[in-house]
Amino acid sequence: MKIIQVFSSFPTKYQPYNTRFIDGICEAKNLKIEIISKVKTDFFPGKYQVEVIEKSRFETVIRKYSKNIFLYLANYNSLRQFSFKKQLKLVSKFYFVLQNKEAIFHFHNIQSLNNDVVEYMKNNKIKYVVSLRGYDVTILPITSESREKFVIAVLKNAWKIHSVCEDLKIRVVNRFGIEASKIQTIYRTPKLTSTFKAPIVEKLDTTINIFTISRIHWKKCLSESLMAIKTLINQGYKVAYHIIGGSEGNGQEFEKLNYLIIELGLKDVVYLHGYVSEENYPEFLKDMHIFWMPTLNEGIPNILYYILKCGFPVIASNVNGIPEVIEHGKNGMLFSNYDFVELYEKTKLIIDDDGLRVLIQKNAFYTELQTIEKEIANYISFYLE
């Protein structure tokens, strides 16, 4: 069976799980894997043959002139329901679909599709799988009526749906009326090769280093979390907040964060470290104490697995797949989404209650996580059923 894996970009430095997934699935003896990327990236070292779909569709037609003319003529009857312009776009941008009608396509991001190719695959009975991500389910559909209709069309016409957590599965069933039987939750496997054992601190009697590892984006709520830092300082706690992650493509959010740091008088206690690679985490995090994940929207973030395996006490918002990993009061603490007073309160509790903090650290370290063997076995079963 041929499975064509389609990524919006494959991978970026923020998507290490893509390479782990491909490493595992390419070893399956009964699956033939091909990889398509919608955007070229220089981060991937080139271990696999990845076919890149260029952004300029009409240049693609010219560059692949003979192949695309052949594909156009071969598929003329099935393309007739579209205007000539849309036919050209389908042939150039989605030629890999036209020439692999017998394959199953796994689109790892809903945005890698469009209405025309969904309609084409439906009319020609071409099977495709789509993965549910937090943004695609909770944010994209509310940005416009047309985008909501697009998401519904993608999900309703999918052969099967992969969800990264149970929460997203429940949401699409309840909100969009999708059949639960065609959705399977398969948790991603974290990268654990660079983990280290965070020290158990019996008593926090030094500057308390709180940290977040996240790209700077509005849905990560880094700016809003400064209010909890400000409250801790006002209540006499000696804290520092370390934000580890880049701001690529999010200049306004980066400006907002810097503005609030100055306006709230936090210039000496909030540190923006930029992007740090995973292999450098052990050295970078050795003096950290408490991990914050104040996000508005997530599936199950890869970094959460990493932090738990290190044994840091975690305080995270109770959104999407996070409560499927964090058991409140056992291996971490949860606070109500966007409630930064409660974030302060939970942090205060973790600082003040030494016994609770030590217990959470120990339980965090022993949290059972997904394994690549189980993940790949689930995918093989998912494809072959």
Side-chain angles (χ1 to χ4, degrees):
M1 176 184 291
K2 182 190 286 188
I3 311 289
I4 298 182
Q5 307 288 342
V6 186
F7 296 92
S8 58
S9 62
F10 179 73
T12 68
K13 59 191 176 186
Y14 297 110
Q15 296 177 320
Y17 48 82
N18 284 348
T19 53
R20 292 196 288 281
F21 163 72
I22 291 296
D23 281 343
I25 203 70
C26 281
E27 296 298 317
K29 293 184 174 60
N30 45 359
L31 298 179
K32 180 182 178 183
I33 302 298
E34 293 184 12
I35 307 166
I36 302 289
S37 176
K38 306 294 286 187
V39 178
K40 184 177 181 180
T41 65
D42 296 325
F43 180 74
F44 186 60
K47 181 179 179 181
Y48 297 104
Q49 181 65 40
V50 180
E51 187 165 0
V52 178
I53 308 302
E54 293 82 358
K55 289 183 179 180
S56 178
R57 298 161 180 169
F58 290 103
E59 284 182 14
T60 305
V61 173
I62 295 170
R63 187 164 51 253
K64 300 178 181 292
Y65 181 83
S66 58
K67 176 192 285 188
N68 280 290
I69 289 296
F70 173 77
L71 283 169
Y72 173 77
L73 293 173
N75 290 276
Y76 175 72
N77 286 331
S78 60
L79 290 167
R80 288 180 68 180
Q81 73 264 36
F82 302 107
S83 68
F84 181 67
K85 186 176 180 181
K86 286 184 177 180
Q87 290 175 22
L88 283 181
K89 288 181 178 179
L90 277 171
V91 171
S92 61
K93 190 173 183 182
F94 293 99
Y95 71 88
F96 61 90
V97 173
L98 276 64
Q99 65 184 5
N100 291 284
K101 293 181 182 179
E102 80 293 347
I104 294 173
F105 297 86
H106 186 159
F107 293 90
H108 288 261
N109 302 81
I110 285 179
Q111 301 97 306
S112 295
L113 292 137
N114 66 25
N115 284 311
D116 295 329
V117 76
V118 170
E119 185 178 352
Y120 178 84
M121 289 191 288
K122 176 186 175 183
N123 293 342
N124 289 275
K125 297 181 173 55
I126 300 172
K127 293 179 179 178
Y128 71 90
V129 174
V130 66
S131 288
L132 299 178
R133 309 288 181 185
Y135 176 85
D136 296 336
V137 173
T138 60
I139 297 175
L140 184 65
I142 66 174
T143 56
S144 71
E145 185 178 345
S146 62
R147 286 180 176 175
E148 181 179 34
K149 288 180 179 178
F150 165 67
V151 170
I152 293 172
V154 169
L155 298 178
K156 288 197 169 179
N157 289 296
W159 173 57
K160 291 185 179 181
I161 298 171
H162 157 239
S163 181
V164 297
C165 66
E166 279 294 305
D167 176 79
L168 296 180
K169 173 180 176 178
I170 293 168
R171 283 173 181 263
V172 299
V173 170
N174 293 340
R175 180 173 177 180
F176 303 129
I178 305 301
E179 297 174 22
S181 60
K182 74 174 184 179
I183 309 174
Q184 182 171 337
T185 298
I186 303 176
Y187 294 112
R188 293 194 299 245
T189 304
K191 181 180 181 181
L192 301 176
T193 54
S194 60
T195 58
F196 66 103
K197 187 76 178 287
I200 300 292
V201 181
E202 301 287 349
K203 190 169 184 61
L204 287 174
D205 53 4
T206 183
T207 298
I208 301 157
N209 288 312
I210 300 168
F211 68 105
T212 295
I213 301 178
S214 165
R215 62 193 174 98
I216 296 174
H217 188 280
W218 64 265
K219 74 174 187 174
K220 303 299 184 180
C221 295
L222 302 174
S223 300
E224 292 86 341
S225 297
L226 298 181
M227 298 306 299
I229 292 292
K230 181 70 172 177
T231 306
L232 284 165
I233 291 172
N234 289 344
Q235 294 300 315
Y237 291 93
K238 191 177 180 181
V239 298
Y241 187 31
H242 300 263
I243 298 173
I244 302 161
S247 59
E248 299 168 7
N250 293 285
Q252 289 186 334
E253 188 62 23
F254 185 70
E255 287 178 358
K256 177 183 176 183
L257 185 59
N258 274 289
Y259 175 80
L260 288 174
I261 288 171
I262 294 171
E263 283 295 300
L264 295 173
L266 301 176
K267 191 174 181 180
D268 295 331
V269 297
V270 177
Y271 302 91
L272 305 180
H273 297 282
Y275 173 76
V276 175
S277 61
E278 275 190 40
E279 57 267 26
N280 292 323
Y281 284 172
E283 179 65 23
F284 206 83
L285 302 181
K286 64 181 182 180
D287 297 321
M288 299 294 139
H289 301 110
I290 299 170
F291 179 74
W292 276 2
M293 180 167 281
T295 181
L296 280 175
N297 162 261
E298 292 289 344
I300 297 180
N302 189 68
I303 190 62
L304 180 59
Y305 285 137
Y306 179 92
I307 294 299
L308 286 168
K309 197 59 180 176
C310 290
F312 283 104
V314 172
I315 306 174
S317 52
N318 60 348
V319 296
N320 303 133
I322 292 176
E324 296 172 34
V325 177
I326 298 294
E327 187 176 356
H328 181 69
K330 297 291 181 63
N331 65 341
M333 301 290 283
L334 297 171
F335 71 97
S336 301
N337 194 14
Y338 215 71
D339 188 340
F340 299 99
V341 173
E342 189 177 355
L343 174 59
Y344 154 73
E345 291 170 347
K346 292 296 191 297
T347 306
K348 180 179 184 300
L349 180 61
I350 287 290
I351 294 172
D352 292 344
D353 192 331
D354 296 326
L356 175 63
R357 185 181 64 255
V358 169
L359 176 65
I360 285 176
Q361 281 199 260
K362 291 178 179 178
N363 289 338
F365 181 76
Y366 290 107
T367 300
E368 185 176 346
L369 306 178
Q370 174 73 296
T371 65
I372 189 64
E373 293 79 14
K374 184 177 179 181
E375 180 186 4
I376 297 306
N378 287 340
Y379 272 112
I380 293 172
S381 171
F382 181 59
Y383 294 139
L384 295 179
E385 280 182 350

